[in-house]
Amino acid sequence: MTAMRFFSDNAAAVHPAVMEAIAAANQVDTAYDGDALSQSLDDAFSELFETRCEVIWIASGTAANSVILAHFVRSWQGVFCHEEAHIEVDECGAPTFYSGGAKLMPLPGIGAKIDVDALRGRLAAIRKDVHQIQPAAISITNATEYGLAWRPDEIAEIGEVARGAGLKLHMDGARFANAVAFLDCAPADVTWRAGVDALSFGFTKNGAMMAEALVFFGGRGGAGARELKKRGGHLLSKGRFVAAQIRAMLEKDLWLENARAANAGAAALAAACGKRLMYPVEANELFVRLTAKEAARLRTAGYDFYDWGKDAARLVVSWDQDAGAVAPLAAAIAAL
Amino acid sequence: MTAMRFFSDNAAAVHPAVMEAIAAANQVDTAYDGDALSQSLDDAFSELFETRCEVIWIASGTAANSVILAHFVRSWQGVFCHEEAHIEVDECGAPTFYSGGAKLMPLPGIGAKIDVDALRGRLAAIRKDVHQIQPAAISITNATEYGLAWRPDEIAEIGEVARGAGLKLHMDGARFANAVAFLDCAPADVTWRAGVDALSFGFTKNGAMMAEALVFFGGRGGAGARELKKRGGHLLSKGRFVAAQIRAMLEKDLWLENARAANAGAAALAAACGKRLMYPVEANELFVRLTAKEAARLRTAGYDFYDWGKDAARLVVSWDQDAGAVAPLAAAIAAL
Amino acid sequence: MTAMRFFSDNAAAVHPAVMEAIAAANQVDTAYDGDALSQSLDDAFSELFETRCEVIWIASGTAANSVILAHFVRSWQGVFCHEEAHIEVDECGAPTFYSGGAKLMPLPGIGAKIDVDALRGRLAAIRKDVHQIQPAAISITNATEYGLAWRPDEIAEIGEVARGAGLKLHMDGARFANAVAFLDCAPADVTWRAGVDALSFGFTKNGAMMAEALVFFGGRGGAGARELKKRGGHLLSKGRFVAAQIRAMLEKDLWLENARAANAGAAALAAACGKRLMYPVEANELFVRLTAKEAARLRTAGYDFYDWGKDAARLVVSWDQDAGAVAPLAAAIAAL
Amino acid sequence: MTAMRFFSDNAAAVHPAVMEAIAAANQVDTAYDGDALSQSLDDAFSELFETRCEVIWIASGTAANSVILAHFVRSWQGVFCHEEAHIEVDECGAPTFYSGGAKLMPLPGIGAKIDVDALRGRLAAIRKDVHQIQPAAISITNATEYGLAWRPDEIAEIGEVARGAGLKLHMDGARFANAVAFLDCAPADVTWRAGVDALSFGFTKNGAMMAEALVFFGGRGGAGARELKKRGGHLLSKGRFVAAQIRAMLEKDLWLENARAANAGAAALAAACGKRLMYPVEANELFVRLTAKEAARLRTAGYDFYDWGKDAARLVVSWDQDAGAVAPLAAAIAAL
């Protein structure tokens, strides 16, 4: 039951409009990404981001991150990321695999935002020789693994370091929609205008079935990425079914609408959590202090969520769980 | 229009039963492959193949082949395949990528069946030292790239060579259904009973949307394969939508029904092609002699197909094109 | 001039006995490692280590470490090491390259010894799923990057954790001789008897020209390693010149004699450094507190060494710098 | 005994001048390639080739070829080579390993020279899509695996194809000296003037101990190559001993003198072989028809050589086997 599940947005249902778009795509068409839906993505995202974009669909966020990063770095180079970033912790080394061996170079920072001083310090400490791995890219996640939204000026500061050191800047946007919904800014403000070169724009967690977009800003960048996608077995032959999901998510800003609903649910839940909150709730994730006994009580009542180390839990609100849908859990937490 | 399209079965529509199964899977569930549908695959295939199987879903045939082969060989080893095999010619080197560098070792053979004597000869010619790449697997395709079905005894002969040399035997079954439908045999007869260790069982070309099964016979074999799948970005978070497709295809032998329909369409077309045929038509592909002028005439009439070098063409019949659906093209060819 | 150079033992002169052995090997012989010298290594090391060994020569320490680790882990697995280990910091990702993408998993610990509790904690924290990289080996360095010798019981403790978790235990022995010379123990005591599966036994820093030995204990283990060595371009055709160096180093325990000389030089220098020392001096490296001004003074006097961050320096004593040879520097430091 | 050994030039003795240069390099110096000998290579080769060169030493020919090719291609691209090229047949897949998975694309051609029409045909046949591997380089071997020297105009023809298709042109010069000695041309004539971008200049087979030079013409090209060399474990810490060999080989054109001696020995042997010869003898290798009985007779007499399939043998003459040294074998063959 929807009201009971706070495990992850990555297993939520698919939005009806996406299901309809999939059904509507069900006739024979050109294979791979030669169909009209796939071909329409460049224009659609270029409009959304107010700049020329090259866009490639792909079925998973891990693949999206890996293909972009492998496209940006050579096998002997490195990628700065937060030490709790999904690419570092939860992708079984996929970016290293796709890049032929590039090293992830983890950095600290509160709330899973890379600390820019730590970044500068690490950059300065690397000897410029062939013995030490030289970085070629930075990857940040927006919203972060702790549900925080990077502000435009924070990204711009990282972007400036990147440019200064000749590094590409990648944004893992598995929950990009939630960040933009919270910030209420133009998508451009937290991407290319702040120095981001490419974005993994996630839709799967936000109401799609299996659809992410690799967005290269400036209308350039995807040449090798297409080969890496094919080589990774990700050029699905009936690709129009992925492109259709993305188009449905862009239609009438469904991606924003869904994200706003999830964020609103999270905000409602946050109000009930009060001092239990470990981080401000900006997107659709809550990290709350919860004793083992309290957690057990909630689980007995049917709620489903992820433990986050000792005496803490993660609650994720999905697009189909608005403020009303989270009310029972909010009440249950308040009553603990 | 369906009656006009003979380009490839990889872009055909999705069967309504598959669409229904996808719709039926649309509620929240466990992520990745923890859902009941994914978990049911081992049993379902074990019954179909009359032996214990370990089964992993994946979204593309390229990924299926690559993960199995990378699981079977180390980076410094090799894989025998036909010189026109899909893995050699059309996957942008995916098996080499997934295996960390293993070499595909192409062999000749009529109709894209590996010639067993050429295989034996090549095996004998390889010096057993570290300078030459030592093979660790053989990959055959059933039905082949020329639409021929490997007979059980032909496979058994390859299987015997494989066992004798300590090689794993993989079958690329992108059109496995068409081969089994033609042979009218038990699936076991052309797989593990003939020495096949693992099968890429394709459903996408046969009515699914994006669904293939890695089938390891003997109930063993998938451990590293799961890591490779994850690392390749193929462990989709809403995996139940892939598993649902596969279950729908197995239901009431839809996979066989669809393949029989496509084969019947191909047979009807073959009758009209007569001496133009370059190979016997056993599955759902026809390779026909056609001058540039004749090809142009058919295209002007609206038919869509693939040139196959000079003065030849490939016609592929899909699951939704039975004998009736191909009648117009059959007539058009007969009238050339 | 020898008395002036404390930069690194990796650029020291070659011992005359090694030069003689190289000269003596200069006639035509079997190529690669088919010559009598190469073939004699298994027996020679088996005697030295009091157990059956399989031994492979290689020309660099980076290659030695990489081939062993790549042999022990699959591409999707990981290797625990100290966060300041040479493989993590100074080999441009070579072990990741050779293994096809395996991840180095850095751990803290004083003096570059892996803290065994940190190791246990990290092991416990890894979820046993395909999303997180599973470790398959541990690599420790003896003597460590800070010149400390692992005691047999310390290694045994790590070895026990390794066995318990099914991990291989590798020892980077670039300065193995210096550790054994300091401990005055049997080589077996700090290797296989303490649970070490394979050793990179370094000779280059200790008087050889370019010679390291991959030592697999238990007489097993080198099969894939030989392919990795060849594939890495390390199976030199006139390999006897490498094997000859190793045999010369083993002859009359020259490896121990050279290490004792270097250690003695380091000890003499340590006495002069007193409270400046950051770590006990057990092998041939000293880490000393030295202001920029003091460092400049020594350099003006002609001494050559490596800065170690702010207000610190590393002094390395080579096999040809005994207590007498370091006396001028000792006096200069004492006079600061 | 030198007069008995025709197995391979890769196991010959080291020239006395090289041994002396090694001995002369035996004092402490800067590590890796920071020493004066290593630093002098750019200038030395620039003079020899009459153009600005960037030069990197490396210890084996396999590593030389692999680093250059991996530097020129991305992991998803390909390298054209002859189907009997050393990189294709005898390097355990090293170029694929170093490049992270690039495919060697073998071509036919008489005497192991790539047939330029076959090259053009293959290039034209590759579909320009992401499904097929796109070539990024061509590698030719001079002298070839059958001891033939590519003429300047032959290379220029390949070079023109390369330029036209945007491919880099690499020359495997394991026996470059023998080719230049035969052609009696300027080294530039068979390299950059004919369109070669980089050369693996071999010295090991021609009197050195373990020394090859990666030569990038035009003074550019080595940036990533240095990282690949380090990552492969080939940046030997006492690198001056490799550089010293190369400088000794260049001194007073020793490389040419040695090659001329070997070629002269081969020519003398060729005269005795007459109609047995399968290819013209241009460098230092002979391929001769020899029945099993005849081969056995020569072996009984003490001669050592390599069988080349059925009823054929390969005889290689080394730098220390001039016309006089081969006289006994010449007589023995004439007497068969």
Side-chain angles (χ1 to χ4, degrees), chain D residues 123-141:
Chain D
L123 256 175
I126 295 170
R127 295 193 318 265
K128 298 288 172 295
D129 62 29
V130 299
H131 302 267
Q132 300 211 320
I133 289 178
Q134 305 300 316
I138 305 173
S139 179
I140 61 175
T141 308

Side-chain angles (χ1 to χ4, degrees), chain C residues 275-296:
Chain C
K275 289 188 176 170
R276 292 180 182 277
L277 292 177
M278 298 161 67
Y279 294 96
V281 174
E282 299 182 351
N284 63 326
E285 292 183 293
L286 299 93
F287 294 82
V288 295
R289 286 182 200 89
L290 214 59
T291 64
K293 211 168 160 180
E294 293 169 331

Side-chain angles (χ1 to χ4, degrees), chain D residues 262-277:
Chain D
N263 287 4
L269 213 47
C273 292
K275 291 188 176 169
R276 292 182 183 275
L277 291 177

Side-chain angles (χ1 to χ4, degrees), chain B residues 48-213:
Chain B
L48 180 63
F49 281 96
E50 306 169 55
T51 190
R52 198 64 211 153
C53 299
E54 180 174 346
V55 178
I56 302 174
W57 54 254
I58 209 158
S60 84
T62 293
N65 293 334
S66 297
V67 168
I68 292 176
L69 291 173
H71 180 56
F72 280 165
V73 310
R74 297 295 301 255
S75 61
W76 61 84
Q77 297 176 318
V79 177
F80 286 121
C81 65
H82 191 274
E83 61 197 5
E84 297 192 57
H86 200 264
I87 56 172
E88 166 71 9
V89 172
D90 275 309
E91 300 189 350
C92 198
T96 294
F97 171 50
Y98 271 83
S99 63
K103 190 183 187 72
L104 299 181
M105 306 168 91
L107 291 166
I110 294 168
K113 284 187 188 171
I114 290 176
D115 182 279
V116 72
D117 287 327
L119 170 63
R120 286 197 193 98
R122 181 79 176 273
L123 256 174
I126 295 170
R127 296 192 319 265
K128 298 287 172 293
D129 63 29
V130 299
H131 302 267
Q132 300 211 321
I133 289 179
Q134 305 300 316
I138 305 173
S139 179
I140 62 175
T141 308
N142 199 16
T144 75
E145 277 69 22
Y146 286 106
L148 302 183
W150 282 83
R151 270 61 173 175
D153 62 324
E154 291 174 326
I155 300 169
E157 204 177 358
I158 298 280
E160 203 177 326
V161 175
R163 252 191 322 284
L167 313 181
K168 294 280 186 180
L169 181 54
H170 164 251
M171 180 174 283
D172 177 350
R175 295 189 182 91
F176 181 71
N178 304 90
V180 172
F182 170 77
L183 295 167
D184 200 21
C185 68
D189 292 344
V190 281
T191 54
W192 63 271
R193 277 195 198 120
V196 173
D197 293 291
L199 168 71
S200 302
F201 194 151
F203 294 101
T204 307
K205 287 176 160 64
N206 193 30
M209 186 184 286
M210 47 185 71
E212 318 277 314

Side-chain angles (χ1 to χ4, degrees), chain A residues 5 9-14 19 22-23 26-32 59-60 62-63 90-94 97-98 204 207-210 227 230-234 236-238 240-242, chain B residues 5 9-14 19 22-23 26-32 59-60 62-63 90-94 97-98 204 207-210 227 230-234 236-238 240-242:
Chain A
R5 173 255 315 158
D9 43 2
N10 76 356
V14 174
M19 294 301 285
I22 288 174
N26 194 20
Q27 62 284 325
V28 64
D29 204 331
T30 310
Y32 305 113
S60 83
T62 293
D90 274 309
E91 299 189 351
C92 198
F97 172 49
Y98 271 84
T204 308
M209 187 184 285
M210 48 185 69
E227 282 82 356
K230 169 66 197 176
R231 195 169 170 84
H234 281 287
L236 307 182
S237 60
K238 300 183 182 175
R240 60 192 180 278
F241 290 105
V242 180
Chain B
R5 175 255 315 157
D9 42 2
N10 76 356
V14 174
M19 294 301 285
I22 288 174
N26 194 20
Q27 62 283 325
V28 64
D29 204 332
T30 310
Y32 304 113
S60 84
T62 293
D90 275 309
E91 300 189 350
C92 198
F97 171 50
Y98 271 83
T204 307
M209 186 184 286
M210 47 185 71
E227 281 83 354
K230 170 66 196 176
R231 195 169 170 82
H234 282 286
L236 306 181
S237 59
K238 301 183 182 175
R240 60 192 181 278
F241 289 104
V242 180

Side-chain angles (χ1 to χ4, degrees), chain D residues 7-265:
Chain D
F7 200 85
S8 177
D9 42 3
N10 74 357
V14 174
H15 191 279
V18 173
M19 294 301 284
E20 280 163 34
I22 288 174
N26 193 22
Q27 63 283 326
V28 64
D29 203 332
T30 309
Y32 305 112
D33 53 9
D35 60 284
L37 285 166
S38 298
Q39 296 289 317
S40 76
L41 296 181
D42 283 5
D43 284 350
F45 282 85
S46 296
E47 195 186 321
L48 180 62
F49 281 97
E50 306 169 55
T51 190
R52 199 65 212 155
C53 299
E54 181 174 347
V55 178
I56 303 175
W57 53 254
I58 211 158
S60 84
T62 292
N65 293 333
S66 297
V67 168
I68 291 176
L69 291 172
H71 179 56
F72 280 165
V73 308
R74 297 295 302 253
S75 61
W76 61 85
Q77 298 176 316
V79 177
F80 286 120
C81 64
H82 192 274
E83 61 196 8
E84 297 191 59
H86 200 264
I87 57 172
E88 166 71 9
V89 172
D90 274 311
E91 300 188 351
C92 198
T96 294
F97 172 49
Y98 272 83
S99 62
K103 189 181 187 72
L104 299 182
M105 308 169 89
L107 291 166
I110 294 168
K113 284 187 189 171
I114 290 176
D115 182 279
V116 72
D117 287 326
L119 170 63
R120 287 198 192 98
R122 181 77 176 273
L123 256 175
I126 295 170
R127 295 193 318 265
K128 298 288 172 295
D129 62 29
V130 299
H131 302 267
Q132 300 211 320
I133 289 178
Q134 305 300 316
I138 305 173
S139 179
I140 61 175
T141 308
N142 199 17
T144 76
E145 278 70 20
Y146 285 106
L148 303 182
W150 283 84
R151 271 59 172 177
D153 62 325
E154 292 174 326
I155 301 169
E157 204 177 357
I158 298 280
E160 203 178 327
V161 175
R163 252 191 324 282
L167 313 180
K168 293 280 187 180
L169 181 54
H170 164 249
M171 179 174 282
D172 177 351
R175 294 188 182 91
F176 181 72
N178 303 90
V180 172
F182 169 77
L183 295 168
D184 200 20
C185 66
D189 292 343
V190 281
T191 54
W192 63 273
R193 276 195 198 120
V196 173
D197 293 292
L199 167 72
S200 303
F201 194 151
F203 295 101
T204 308
K205 288 177 159 64
N206 193 29
M209 186 185 285
M210 47 185 73
E212 317 278 314
L214 285 65
V215 184
F216 292 93
F217 300 108
R220 67 189 186 290
R226 292 182 191 277
E227 281 82 356
L228 285 163
K229 171 183 168 180
K230 170 65 196 176
R231 194 168 170 84
H234 281 286
L235 185 52
L236 307 180
S237 60
K238 300 182 182 176
R240 61 193 180 275
F241 290 104
V242 180
Q245 298 174 51
I246 296 175
R247 291 306 313 260
M249 290 295 296
L250 295 188
E251 194 72 21
K252 292 186 205 159
D253 285 341
L254 178 60
W255 66 285
L256 267 179
E257 185 186 306
N258 281 358
R260 281 182 191 129
N263 287 4

Side-chain angles (χ1 to χ4, degrees), chain A:
Chain A
M1 207 188 110
T2 301
M4 293 305 175
R5 173 255 315 158
F6 295 87
F7 200 85
S8 177
D9 43 2
N10 76 356
V14 174
H15 191 280
V18 173
M19 294 301 285
E20 279 163 34
I22 288 174
N26 194 20
Q27 62 284 325
V28 64
D29 204 331
T30 310
Y32 305 113
D33 54 9
D35 60 283
L37 285 166
S38 299
Q39 296 290 316
S40 75
L41 296 181
D42 283 6
D43 284 349
F45 282 86
S46 295
E47 196 188 319
L48 180 63
F49 282 96
E50 307 168 55
T51 189
R52 198 66 211 154
C53 299
E54 181 173 346
V55 178
I56 302 175
W57 54 253
I58 210 158
S60 83
T62 293
N65 293 334
S66 298
V67 168
I68 291 176
L69 292 172
H71 180 56
F72 280 164
V73 310
R74 297 295 302 254
S75 61
W76 60 86
Q77 297 176 318
V79 177
F80 286 119
C81 63
H82 191 272
E83 60 196 8
E84 297 192 59
H86 199 264
I87 58 172
E88 166 71 8
V89 173
D90 274 309
E91 299 189 351
C92 198
T96 295
F97 172 49
Y98 271 84
S99 62
K103 189 182 187 72
L104 298 182
M105 307 168 90
L107 291 167
I110 294 169
K113 284 187 189 171
I114 290 176
D115 183 280
V116 70
D117 287 327
L119 170 63
R120 286 197 193 99
R122 182 78 176 275
L123 257 173
I126 295 170
R127 294 193 320 265
K128 299 287 172 295
D129 63 28
V130 299
H131 302 268
Q132 300 212 320
I133 290 179
Q134 305 300 315
I138 304 174
S139 179
I140 61 175
T141 308
N142 199 16
T144 75
E145 277 68 22
Y146 285 107
L148 302 183
W150 282 84
R151 270 61 173 175
D153 62 323
E154 291 174 327
I155 301 169
E157 203 177 358
I158 299 280
E160 204 177 328
V161 175
R163 250 191 325 281
L167 313 180
K168 293 280 187 180
L169 180 54
H170 164 249
M171 180 175 282
D172 176 350
R175 295 187 182 92
F176 181 71
N178 304 91
V180 172
F182 169 77
L183 295 168
D184 199 21
C185 67
D189 292 344
V190 281
T191 53
W192 63 272
R193 275 193 200 122
V196 173
D197 293 292
L199 167 71
S200 303
F201 194 151
F203 296 101
T204 308
K205 287 176 160 65
N206 193 30
M209 187 184 285
M210 48 185 69
E212 317 277 315
L214 286 65
V215 184
F216 292 94
F217 300 108
R220 67 189 187 289
R226 292 182 190 279
E227 282 82 356
L228 285 163
K229 171 183 168 180
K230 169 66 197 176
R231 195 169 170 84
H234 281 287
L235 185 52
L236 307 182
S237 60
K238 300 183 182 175
R240 60 192 180 278
F241 290 105
V242 180
Q245 299 175 50
I246 296 175
R247 290 308 310 262
M249 291 294 297
L250 295 189
E251 193 72 21
K252 294 186 207 158
D253 285 341
L254 178 60
W255 66 284
L256 268 179
E257 186 187 307
N258 281 358
R260 283 182 191 130
N263 286 5
L269 213 47
C273 292
K275 290 190 176 168
R276 293 181 182 275
L277 292 177
M278 299 162 67
Y279 294 96
V281 175
E282 299 183 349
N284 63 328
E285 294 184 294
L286 300 92
F287 294 82
V288 295
R289 289 182 197 86
L290 215 57
T291 65
K293 211 170 162 181
E294 292 169 331
R297 204 134 33 115
L298 292 176
R299 287 198 171 103
T300 304
Y303 296 102
D304 179 20
F305 52 87
Y306 199 70
D307 284 329
W308 203 258
K310 194 176 141 47
D311 286 342
R314 187 186 75 165
L315 306 174
V316 189
V317 181
S318 299
W319 65 270
D320 55 356
Q321 298 173 299
D322 57 15
V326 307
L329 176 57
I333 290 175
L336 280 175

